[in-house]
Amino acid sequence: MSAEKTSVTVVIPVYNEKDNISELLERTLKACRALGRAGRSWELILVDDGSRDGSSEILAEAARNNPGEIKALLLNRNYGQHNAILCGFGAAQGDILITLDADLQNPPEEIGNLVAKIDEGFDVVGSIRQDRQDALFRKVFSGIINMMVRKSTGVKLRDYGCMLRAYRRRVVDAMLSCRERHTFIPVLANLFAKRVTEIPVGHAERARGTSKYSVLNLINLQFDLLTCMTTAPLRILSWIGAGISALSIGFGALLLILRLVYGTEWAENGVFTLFAVVFFFIGAQFIALGLMGEYIGRIHADVRERPRYIVDRVVGETLGECQSAKVAMAHVARES
Ligand code: UDP
Ligand code: MG
């Protein structure tokens, strides 16, 4: 292996994907071994995010059967996809870090292309799903979210939702140093990357099993994305509040004038209008409070500084670990 070629770590979060793992490993290992033949060192880190379907045992077995290639990190319970990835990043030794989903929606065959793009000098390489195979509501939803992220971060990527991505080591180190507990990795990465690009990649339907995101999970994830990205909604709220107050003063004045012109009888009949107005303000206040609550909740979570995850078991050694462990052992043996 030539020293100048950067090493690669592929991180895959796995949550109840037992039927997908064998094809996933076969295809991913093939792609990684091709990197190896091109003179790069590489490792595959599989993070089991508290699966209950036996996935963790399959991953542990794979790590035992592929020493030097696969490491399995088994979390003690489900911490969510992004925390699982951060756990994998924490254990990764490569200079280039790649993430992809375990359900084979992201073709592992694209790994080589992502690596090549990083080699061109980019800090982050995202991917745009061609002919995306997801439900219509998710595509529409994604479109809106992508537009919001573009506006808010000023980084003009087209597809933030696709987790088939590559990061340079320094970007990942910066992400790992962030203390926030609720985060959305592709957006977080933008904060630390100078050169960001995207490449088109294929997209398949989920091979087996069902999506791990219910509609409620997806909504929660959007809050993570929003709050990790910006505090602008809080500011917008103040503006909306100011606008509503100004309008209500105008409206009050109008009601007064109408009362003077048409008399008290009219004013009584306007009670329902007033109700409508009051409900509007109550609604606006609840939205404002809710949004503030989202931020305060996150501040609360971060202040507590609970660990993002607990690793139950690590199976397997990769890259230089076996070698350095042997050297260390030899050293100890000599000294004793
Ligand atoms: N995943 C995870 N923890 C979770 C939810 C999902 O590690 O709590 C993994 C899952 O196994 C898959 C990836 O994250 O590898 C994406 O999940 P999924 O395919 O269900 O999401 P979708 O494609 O529907 O957005
Ligand atoms: Mg999927």
Side-chain angles (χ1 to χ4, degrees):
M1 263 170 244
S2 65
E4 74 269 19
K5 286 226 173 175
T6 43
S7 53
V8 176
T9 299
V10 177
V11 174
I12 308 182
V14 177
Y15 181 48
N16 294 343
E17 304 277 7
K18 72 172 177 2
D19 297 327
N20 290 322
I21 297 173
S22 86
E23 186 183 340
L24 172 76
L25 292 184
E26 189 187 313
R27 288 170 58 185
T28 311
L29 283 174
K30 198 166 163 219
C32 290
R33 285 172 185 153
L35 290 177
R37 281 194 298 280
R40 270 176 214 280
S41 48
W42 60 273
E43 63 179 343
L44 173 56
I45 296 189
L46 303 163
V47 186
D48 178 68
D49 191 15
S51 299
R52 290 155 203 255
D53 68 344
S55 291
S56 53
E57 268 323 302
I58 305 176
L59 298 187
E61 184 69 22
R64 279 192 289 271
N65 291 341
N66 297 277
E69 294 186 323
I70 298 183
K71 180 188 286 186
L73 304 175
L74 313 180
L75 306 188
N76 68 333
R77 46 152 286 198
N78 181 244
Y79 293 97
Q81 179 185 0
H82 291 257
N83 283 330
I85 292 175
L86 286 174
C87 170
F89 281 170
Q93 303 172 76
D95 305 312
I96 299 174
L97 294 96
I98 311 257
T99 58
L100 66 134
D101 288 350
D103 59 354
L104 294 165
Q105 289 200 279
N106 308 137
E109 292 72 25
E110 303 279 0
I111 290 174
N113 297 335
L114 290 171
V115 170
K117 209 70 192 167
I118 290 272
D119 276 347
E120 282 178 28
F122 291 98
D123 291 320
V124 173
V125 182
S127 57
I128 310 168
R129 290 168 278 194
Q130 304 293 300
D131 193 18
R132 183 172 166 190
Q133 302 292 320
D134 272 322
L136 181 67
F137 89 93
R138 292 206 49 178
K139 289 192 242 182
V140 173
F141 205 47
S142 270
I144 299 169
I145 297 293
N146 281 321
M147 194 186 68
M148 274 171 47
V149 179
R150 274 196 296 275
K151 282 244 172 318
S152 155
T153 61
V155 184
K156 306 252 174 298
L157 295 188
R158 276 178 54 194
D159 192 353
Y160 278 92
C162 185
M163 292 305 286
L164 179 56
R165 305 177 86 82
Y167 307 88
R168 212 173 263 281
R169 156 67 51 194
R170 58 173 178 256
V171 173
V172 167
D173 284 341
M175 287 198 272
L176 287 172
S177 72
C178 293
R179 290 169 12 149
E180 62 234 58
R181 295 292 169 274
H182 300 269
T183 196
F184 193 85
I185 294 172
V187 173
L188 189 64
N190 277 350
L191 297 178
F192 308 110
K194 187 167 176 212
R195 295 188 67 199
V196 182
T197 190
E198 273 175 320
I199 60 169
V201 296
H203 193 244
E205 271 187 59
R206 179 171 247 286
R208 295 158 204 94
T210 50
S211 171
K212 307 299 175 270
Y213 286 100
S214 63
V215 174
L216 195 68
N217 288 150
L218 278 175
I219 293 173
N220 287 340
L221 191 70
Q222 303 319 315
F223 274 117
D224 287 348
L225 189 150
L226 185 76
T227 54
C228 127
M229 181 170 72
T230 176
T231 50
L234 292 176
R235 213 173 315 133
I236 295 169
L237 277 179
S238 319
W239 282 109
I240 293 176
I244 289 175
S245 309
L247 278 178
S248 69
I249 293 170
F251 192 65
L254 184 70
L255 284 179
L256 189 70
I257 294 167
L258 290 175
R259 188 179 187 278
L260 291 175
V261 174
Y262 295 109
T264 44
E265 208 168 303
W266 179 89
E268 258 172 36
N269 293 341
V271 160
F272 290 117
T273 325
L274 277 177
F275 262 111
V277 174
V278 168
F279 281 141
F280 174 70
F281 290 139
I282 291 176
Q285 276 178 353
F286 268 99
I287 294 173
L289 280 176
L291 245 163
M292 258 188 288
E294 288 292 334
Y295 284 99
I296 294 170
R298 279 160 177 72
I299 294 169
H300 183 56
D302 293 344
V303 165
R304 280 186 302 200
E305 268 198 84
R306 289 186 182 161
R308 283 197 181 110
Y309 48 79
I310 295 176
V311 181
D312 206 26
R313 213 145 46 98
V314 180
V315 186
E317 289 163 336
T318 47
L319 287 177
E321 279 176 343
C322 327
Q323 219 47 41
S324 54
K326 276 184 205 140
V327 172
M329 289 293 283
H331 196 65
V332 172
R334 263 201 311 277
E335 284 193 346
S336 57

